[in-house]
Amino acid sequence: MVEEMTIRPMTAEERMYSYTQSQQISMQTGLIGYLRADMDSNGKGFFSSWNGFRDNLKTEDFKLEFDEVLNELREEGNLLHDRRTLSRHCYQTPVSSFQNDRNEYGFRADTDHYSYLMRVNPNKGEYNLYCYCYVRQWLERHMRQAEKGIRFITPAYKEIFRIPDGDRIRMTLPSGETLEQTCRYIDDTHLEVGNVLYHICEFAERMTQNGIKTIPLRSSLPEKCFSILESTGEMIVITKGQQGYSPTGIFSQDVSPGEGVTAANAANGVTKAQEAAMVAGSMFGWETPAADPRNYDENGVPVKNHNREKNAR
């Protein structure tokens, strides 16, 4: 048994590191490499291959420990024993689900010096395991820094908005054409937009020079929500990233308009804080602090300014 090994479901933030990263992120997080494996057509095999990233980190101590980790995880009843056992672990741990159409789940195993981020699926005919191996201290240091979020600024270095690592932005060109990109945190002054590395000042200057407007597409917001047009009582639809609203022509008869909207949003998992942020974004701009649901309480009431600043960090 590997001494002091713990295993748990991955957090949403950790899931990003169970895929191939850019060279910059891989270097900062201490990525050693990754192993992929399938369990054969009968579900009882374990055919694996190794893809290295930094050979200087693949020490004898690491290799010995990684073998022990895999051997322990493949013991009867453990996560990687066979496909049936893997499937049982996944479905009995719904919090580990990536909630995607590839039926993927994530678990993290930690030892004193290394972290093993395992992206798994129980599907026959596919790779059942991708295990990304990191120097634990490096990975945790980078993730702590990334919690501060990615800053978007003016060329004069004034912050416009901030998004969590891994969120998306929409860039609107002067022609009206739009481009959406995932952004990654590198450090306090660098980010990746898609596959391109920028200094935050460089990105701001390029957007200004080319007349490109950038807004956040916060993952904390739903794609759509319902609200009420106060002047008429009509139920309306607000779409993330779009100004204004779409009318529905629905005027509630049996219940108050507010109750109808609350019920419709609740049925789609939309909270009052999210609705308030969506309304503000559609009216005042999606880059404003008012368009961030973290700046509202559970009843959709704005929180105090000092809490906003704390949440933005």
Side-chain angles (χ1 to χ4, degrees):
M1 176 179 291
V2 182
E3 293 185 5
E4 301 299 328
M5 183 174 77
T6 60
I7 183 168
R8 59 168 174 78
M10 272 195 261
T11 65
E13 293 77 17
E14 290 166 344
R15 292 170 190 166
M16 293 186 291
Y17 300 91
S18 65
Y19 296 92
T20 299
Q21 309 292 305
S22 68
Q23 183 173 2
Q24 289 84 6
I25 295 175
S26 296
M27 291 291 288
Q28 290 191 19
T29 53
L31 176 66
I32 304 166
Y34 72 90
L35 177 140
R36 68 181 182 183
D38 71 84
M39 294 177 171
D40 203 3
S41 58
N42 63 10
K44 297 182 181 298
F46 195 79
F47 299 99
S48 64
S49 59
W50 171 259
N51 294 271
F53 178 70
R54 291 187 65 173
D55 289 340
N56 65 309
L57 297 179
K58 190 181 178 183
T59 63
E60 289 300 319
D61 286 343
F62 165 74
K63 290 188 287 186
L64 288 172
E65 180 182 283
F66 191 33
D67 284 343
E68 291 179 3
V69 167
L70 289 176
N71 288 336
E72 181 171 332
L73 291 172
R74 297 213 61 229
E75 290 179 358
E76 186 171 356
N78 285 353
L79 180 68
L80 303 178
H81 177 63
D82 56 24
R83 189 180 294 119
R84 177 175 294 181
T85 306
L86 174 62
S87 179
R88 184 174 69 249
H89 276 277
C90 291
Y91 297 139
Q92 289 180 349
T93 318
V95 70
S96 68
S97 174
F98 282 26
Q99 300 295 325
N100 61 22
D101 57 6
R102 289 175 286 185
N103 197 30
E104 292 178 313
Y105 298 78
F107 296 88
R108 173 173 173 169
D110 285 319
T111 63
D112 285 345
H113 300 292
Y114 301 103
S115 292
Y116 305 95
L117 273 57
M118 295 174 285
R119 173 166 49 94
V120 300
N121 75 70
N123 303 333
K124 183 178 178 179
E126 300 181 20
Y127 286 108
N128 302 116
L129 168 70
Y130 284 85
C131 180
Y132 283 75
C133 307
Y134 293 91
V135 177
R136 180 176 176 178
Q137 184 179 15
W138 294 18
L139 174 65
E140 292 182 345
R141 180 177 62 237
H142 178 81
M143 292 190 67
R144 282 195 303 270
Q145 293 296 314
E147 288 177 358
K148 293 182 288 187
I150 303 169
R151 292 185 296 157
F152 289 82
I153 62 174
T154 68
Y157 224 89
K158 178 183 179 181
E159 183 172 323
I160 307 171
F161 63 87
R162 189 178 297 220
I163 61 173
D165 183 24
D167 262 16
R168 297 174 66 81
I169 58 171
R170 176 182 293 159
M171 296 178 286
T172 302
L173 282 61
S175 65
E177 180 183 357
T178 61
L179 175 65
E180 296 182 7
Q181 293 283 8
T182 298
C183 300
R184 296 301 309 273
Y185 174 93
I186 300 301
D187 56 38
D188 286 351
T189 57
H190 294 85
L191 78 157
E192 288 176 355
V193 179
N195 297 318
V196 182
L197 175 67
Y198 293 97
H199 189 284
I200 58 175
C201 281
E202 177 193 6
F203 183 79
E205 290 168 356
R206 290 196 180 191
M207 296 302 101
T208 300
Q209 291 168 0
N210 293 304
I212 299 174
K213 180 175 176 58
T214 303
I215 63 170
L217 296 176
R218 296 183 174 95
S219 60
S220 56
L221 290 174
E223 292 302 314
K224 296 179 182 292
C225 82
F226 293 99
S227 192
I228 288 294
L229 189 61
E230 292 185 3
S231 60
T232 65
E234 180 184 8
M235 184 181 293
I236 58 174
V237 176
I238 297 172
T239 301
K240 180 167 67 174
Q242 294 184 10
Q243 294 296 302
Y245 61 87
S246 299
T248 65
I250 298 174
F251 298 83
S252 181
Q253 302 295 326
D254 299 326
V255 296
S256 71
E259 290 175 346
V261 163
T262 298
N265 281 335
N268 291 290
V270 178
T271 67
K272 291 183 178 180
Q274 289 174 319
E275 180 194 350
M278 292 280 281
V279 170
S282 69
M283 295 176 62
F284 308 118
W286 297 93
E287 71 280 7
T288 62
D292 189 336
R294 295 179 300 176
N295 292 328
Y296 299 86
D297 66 17
E298 60 183 8
N299 295 312
V301 177
V303 297
K304 294 181 179 180
N305 288 335
H306 70 272
N307 287 333
R308 292 186 186 182
E309 294 170 359
K310 179 180 178 181
N311 287 334
R313 291 192 183 102

